[in-house]
Amino acid sequence: MSNIFPKSSSEAGRSRAASLSSQPPPSALARSLARGEAEAGLEGWGKEGRRGGMAAVRGGGPSVAGAFPSAASEAGPGACGCKGSRSCLLCEEAAPPPQKRANFVYSPLAGLAVGEEQSEFAGWAFPFPGVFLLEDFISLEEESKLVELMDQNAWKPSQSGRRKQDYGPKVNFKKHKLKVDDFSGLPEFSQELVTRMQNHSPLTGFHPVEQCNLDYGPERGSAIDPHLDDWWLWGERLVSLNLLSNTVLSMSCDSEDSLQLFPAFRSKREQMHASRSPSACQNHHQPTSFTSERLGNTIEWEVDCSSSTKLVSSKVITVAIHLPRRSLVVLYGPARYVWKHAIYRNHITSRRICITFRELSQEFSDGGEKEELGRKLLRIALTFQGTPI
């Protein structure tokens, strides 16, 4: 089977994150800051490798043409992979609790979280580093072909109404053990995806060692709980491709620390100006401007760093990162190690597939304690001859 993507389209995707430089994402500092924030509870043998809260994710649209799996991919009637406190519409006996609402929205062009207009934080904003978002990373034709190829393989029931396909070693994150016997590499269709990612500076040198495909459907009440991905095996950057429908990535934090909010002002302009990093607040006499797009209009936000600020607990903040269909999102630094990410049930209105790629941690990279094992995993992964395990 040959690659599904023409080489001429390797530059596809429009960057919506002006706050990123060409330098690699931060690692050591972000990791050391976040280790004290992560919870200790981990699942046993599993592929998603998550550290995080057990808060139940609840909530559920129209269909997307061509977005339904083939008969070969069906897991069977009533199939449910929920364990412990997690549940879905296939196994729930009582009505789910109310859905948590976001009170801030992430602005990709500025790298800031801006208070929702209907919330108590309207008119406030704060820096939200560690997110890189690309719209239109693949075309509609490429998306259709990708889904067709994935649906040729079986989808296995997973937790909270999800279904999955795994390409990677089998890992026990609690005991820090892994098995490579059944790992045959990433799928062939991902080779061009990885090449295309590496053309963008935030993903320079990104070599994924694991790929997890997750299938969400409103009829199953699919969701994923707030969590931090494991960092014993998985490295700095988490990369996800969002397919078939728009959704929202909800970010929350368990830290006892306070966040400093800055007054934010909005004004419409005829032209979009180049955005600047929130760190420009070093000049206390000049408001910092950034732009974002909403409902087809250009909106300019001004954060006045000379005015009084406001301190709030991190725990009361939920930031919504809107993920358009066919967009690519990268989490790194604080967004990777401090802020938990989740997909809530009410943000799945039609079938959604997420392809997530993970790289190796420093422990498994050159100079690390498990360098040789890491090299073996990479050799297998990058053959791009894999089948789901």
Side-chain angles (χ1 to χ4, degrees):
M1 185 190 306
S2 61
N3 288 331
I4 66 170
F5 301 114
K7 296 296 183 182
S8 60
S9 63
S10 63
E11 295 298 323
R14 304 193 305 274
S15 173
R16 312 297 294 167
S19 60
L20 277 171
S21 68
S22 60
Q23 297 178 349
S27 330
L29 178 59
R31 186 178 295 108
S32 63
L33 288 173
R35 283 193 184 276
E37 307 290 347
E39 299 177 11
L42 290 173
E43 298 180 16
W45 291 106
K47 293 296 284 116
E48 292 169 29
R50 297 179 283 118
R51 299 176 183 258
M54 298 296 291
V57 181
R58 309 285 194 264
S63 62
V64 176
F68 290 100
S70 65
S73 68
E74 292 296 341
C80 172
C82 297
K83 300 177 183 178
S85 64
R86 296 180 178 90
S87 65
C88 67
L89 289 179
L90 300 179
C91 63
E92 286 172 354
E93 297 180 356
Q99 181 68 68
K100 186 176 181 180
R101 293 177 59 89
N103 42 29
F104 282 82
V105 177
Y106 178 69
S107 173
L109 287 172
L112 297 178
V114 181
E116 280 276 17
E117 292 183 0
Q118 303 302 317
S119 77
E120 62 181 301
F121 301 110
W124 297 92
F126 67 94
F128 197 83
V131 180
F132 178 70
L133 184 63
L134 288 167
E135 292 185 10
D136 301 326
F137 183 71
I138 61 173
S139 68
L140 283 169
E141 284 185 313
E142 291 169 336
E143 177 190 53
S144 178
K145 185 62 177 178
L146 273 175
V147 173
E148 178 185 342
L149 289 171
M150 284 186 282
D151 281 343
Q152 291 175 5
N153 292 306
W155 290 93
K156 295 182 179 180
S158 186
Q159 303 208 60
S160 301
R162 304 184 305 275
R163 302 189 306 172
K164 65 180 180 178
Q165 295 173 346
D166 293 324
Y167 299 84
K170 193 171 185 180
V171 187
N172 187 318
F173 294 95
K174 184 179 293 185
K175 297 182 179 180
H176 285 189
K177 293 182 179 181
L178 59 85
K179 298 177 181 179
V180 298
D181 298 349
D182 298 326
F183 181 32
S184 54
L186 303 188
E188 185 175 4
F189 64 75
S190 292
Q191 187 167 8
E192 175 61 22
L193 289 176
V194 173
T195 299
R196 188 177 299 183
M197 293 175 196
Q198 294 169 340
N199 290 328
H200 301 277
S201 57
L203 290 171
T204 300
F206 181 75
H207 299 293
V209 73
E210 192 256 6
Q211 176 177 328
C212 182
N213 305 335
L214 291 178
D215 180 22
Y216 294 72
E219 71 282 358
R220 301 188 303 274
S222 301
I224 192 163
D225 296 351
H227 66 279
L228 295 170
D229 279 44
D230 174 81
W231 54 69
W232 166 65
L233 178 59
W234 309 139
E236 174 81 21
R237 294 166 288 188
L238 305 177
V239 184
S240 294
L241 179 59
N242 184 57
L243 303 176
L244 293 180
S245 59
N246 301 337
T247 194
V248 177
L249 191 63
S250 297
M251 312 293 288
S252 58
C253 182
D254 290 340
S255 173
E256 298 290 344
D257 294 340
S258 295
L259 281 173
Q260 186 177 25
L261 306 183
F262 298 90
F265 305 91
R266 186 179 70 177
S267 60
K268 292 187 178 181
R269 301 291 180 93
E270 291 184 359
Q271 295 182 349
M272 181 177 293
H273 301 283
S275 61
R276 291 184 289 174
S277 168
S279 62
C281 285
Q282 292 172 351
N283 182 349
H284 296 287
H285 302 289
Q286 179 67 35
T288 298
S289 299
F290 64 91
T291 55
S292 63
E293 293 182 15
R294 174 175 287 184
L295 302 178
N297 295 322
T298 298
I299 301 172
E300 181 177 354
W301 292 90
E302 296 181 350
V303 179
D304 187 357
C305 300
S306 63
S307 299
S308 298
T309 60
K310 179 179 181 180
L311 291 178
V312 298
S313 171
S314 299
K315 288 186 174 182
V316 304
I317 301 298
T318 299
V319 180
I321 301 177
H322 289 268
L323 302 181
R325 178 179 176 178
R326 296 181 288 110
S327 66
L328 187 83
V329 65
V330 184
L331 301 182
Y332 65 93
R336 157 74 165 102
Y337 294 111
V338 177
W339 290 84
K340 294 180 179 181
H341 54 277
I343 299 288
Y344 290 124
R345 183 180 293 185
N346 63 319
H347 292 141
I348 301 298
T349 57
S350 60
R351 190 186 185 198
R352 178 213 180 216
I353 291 178
C354 174
I355 305 178
T356 296
F357 299 90
R358 298 178 175 92
E359 63 184 344
L360 289 171
S361 66
Q362 187 57 50
E363 185 171 347
F364 289 82
S365 302
D366 291 346
E369 183 179 337
K370 294 183 172 60
E371 175 183 356
E372 287 303 317
L373 180 54
R375 288 181 177 177
K376 180 179 180 180
L377 291 171
L378 272 176
R379 282 197 300 269
I380 297 172
L382 300 183
T383 62
F384 293 102
Q385 296 297 316
T387 56
I389 64 170

